[in-house]
């Protein structure tokens, strides 16, 4: 748990600093017409936080194994119109959500980290795996689409 929490703490410090230095034009530029801009990718990470926070909580008390319900990532990004939202608003949302997630995961008792969940691919994984996967997913998007390997 400490590893995921420590990595998330690092991101909560590094991302606002680095993303905040980028111009609105830079964060709005799509690499290709069908690819997300850095703003949209950060918005996607907000959507991921919105969907994963309840999972982190519910796995601890609902019937086991907890079954993860998928969501349409492209629809979430499009319908929330991150492309036309000021970058500062998206960054503030991302920071707030992930500070709350950090608080939540730091309070999970060690014995609950092994509680099972079933992924969208019908694999049984642990709550610890889901937390680690959440942070890895964030690092992937930050390094590939948003901050270009600067975190």
């Amino acid at each position: 748990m400490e590893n995921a929490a420590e990595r998330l703490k690092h991101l909560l410090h590094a991302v606002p600093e680095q993303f905040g230095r980028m111009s609105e034009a830079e964060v709005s530029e799509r690499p290709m017409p069908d690819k997300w801009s850095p703003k949209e990718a950060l918005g996607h990470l907000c959507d991921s936080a919105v969907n994963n926070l309840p999972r982190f909580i519910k796995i601890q008390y609902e019937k086991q194994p907890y079954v993860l319900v998928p969501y349409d990532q492209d629809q979430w990004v499009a319908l929330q119109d991150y492309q036309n939202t000021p970058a500062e608003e998206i960054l503030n949302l991302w920071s707030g959500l992930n500070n709350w997630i950090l608080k939540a995961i730091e309070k999970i008792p060690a014995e609950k980290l092994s509680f099972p969940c079933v992924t969208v691919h019908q694999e049984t994984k642990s709550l610890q795996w889901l937390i680690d996967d959440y942070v890895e997913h964030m690092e992937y998007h930050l390094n590939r689409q948003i901050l270009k390997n600067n975190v």
Side-chain angles (χ1 to χ4, degrees):
M1 172 60 69
E2 283 183 47
N3 189 20
E6 289 304 315
R7 287 165 46 213
L8 185 52
K9 283 179 192 175
H10 168 74
L11 294 173
L12 282 164
H13 174 75
V15 171
E17 182 180 295
Q18 293 177 31
F19 190 81
R21 287 194 302 245
M22 297 170 73
S23 71
E24 190 70 32
E26 287 176 300
V27 298
S28 298
E29 185 177 336
R30 288 184 174 140
M32 297 178 70
D34 63 334
K35 298 291 183 189
W36 291 335
S37 68
K39 277 197 315 190
E40 290 172 309
L42 192 63
H44 163 66
L45 294 178
C46 293
D47 299 339
S48 177
V50 165
N51 279 274
N52 278 288
L53 178 59
R55 293 171 174 173
F56 298 155
I57 302 301
K58 290 179 179 182
I59 290 171
Q60 295 181 68
Y61 70 86
E62 287 197 356
K63 180 182 170 213
Q64 294 178 15
Y66 180 81
V67 178
L68 303 177
V69 177
Y71 64 100
D72 187 322
Q73 300 169 7
D74 291 321
Q75 287 293 328
W76 276 64
V77 169
L79 293 171
Q80 296 198 77
D81 195 24
Y82 291 118
Q83 185 65 8
N84 294 306
T85 302
E88 184 178 5
E89 286 183 32
I90 301 168
L91 180 58
N92 288 340
L93 178 61
W94 179 87
S95 294
L97 288 167
N98 282 288
N99 272 303
W100 200 259
I101 284 176
L102 178 62
K103 178 181 166 185
I105 65 174
E106 287 182 326
K107 292 184 179 285
I108 298 172
E111 66 272 9
K112 292 186 177 184
L113 293 172
S114 63
F115 283 14
C117 61
V118 178
T119 70
V120 296
H121 303 295
Q122 302 303 309
E123 298 174 303
T124 300
K125 301 288 185 176
S126 68
L127 173 55
Q128 179 66 64
W129 177 89
L130 187 64
I131 293 166
D132 290 338
D133 185 65
Y134 173 78
V135 176
E136 288 169 15
H137 169 255
M138 187 179 315
E139 291 168 336
Y140 172 84
H141 283 286
L142 290 168
N143 285 323
R144 293 261 177 136
Q145 296 173 290
I146 302 170
L147 303 176
K148 311 288 194 267
N149 293 315
N150 288 325
V151 293

